[in-house]
């Protein structure tokens, strides 16, 4: 019963994981994003990621709180 991942379009080479959480509204502040990541609540490409500065590039998927987001580049 999983729903399709929401596309997050970026115009740069990458977006940091903490910034992506703020961009999607999953975290309101950088501090909140840092906390969520350090607590192991965020998955990147199916694995727990504890690195808030993790660079997400087009094709990467991150998950938080039952929602999935896929990074997409400008075509």
């Amino acid at each position: 019963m999983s729903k399709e991942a929401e596309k997050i379009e970026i115009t740069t080479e990458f977006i940091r994981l903490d910034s992506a959480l703020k961009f999607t509204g999953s975290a309101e502040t950088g501090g909140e994003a840092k906390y969520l990541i350090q607590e192991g609540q965020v998955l990147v490409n199916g694995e727990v990621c504890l690195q808030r500065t993790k660079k997400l590039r087009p094709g990467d998927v991150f998950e938080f709180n039952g929602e999935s987001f896929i990074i997409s580049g400008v075509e």
Side-chain angles (χ1 to χ4, degrees), residues 5-6 10 13-14 19 22 28 30 44 46 50-52 60:
E6 182 180 333
I10 60 171
E13 180 185 346
F14 63 85
S19 297
K22 290 190 303 184
E28 291 187 20
V44 174
L50 302 176
Q51 183 183 11
R52 71 181 175 92
D60 285 335

Side-chain angles (χ1 to χ4, degrees), residues 4-67:
E4 192 172 322
E6 182 180 333
K7 269 190 180 178
I8 305 300
E9 192 170 286
I10 60 171
T11 57
T12 55
E13 180 185 346
F14 63 85
I15 185 171
R16 287 181 13 177
L17 179 57
D18 57 351
S19 297
L21 284 169
K22 290 190 303 184
F23 181 81
T24 61
S26 299
E28 291 187 20
T29 65
E32 182 182 4
K34 179 180 174 182
Y35 175 80
L36 295 172
I37 295 164
Q38 289 179 335
E39 289 296 305
Q41 297 184 39
V42 182
L43 301 178
V44 174
N45 297 326
E47 296 183 9
V48 172
C49 181
L50 302 176
Q51 183 183 11
R52 71 181 175 92
T53 59
K54 172 78 174 161
K55 294 176 180 176
L56 302 177
R57 293 182 163 78
D60 285 335
V61 175
F62 71 96
E63 300 172 53
F64 171 71
N65 203 24
E67 293 190 69

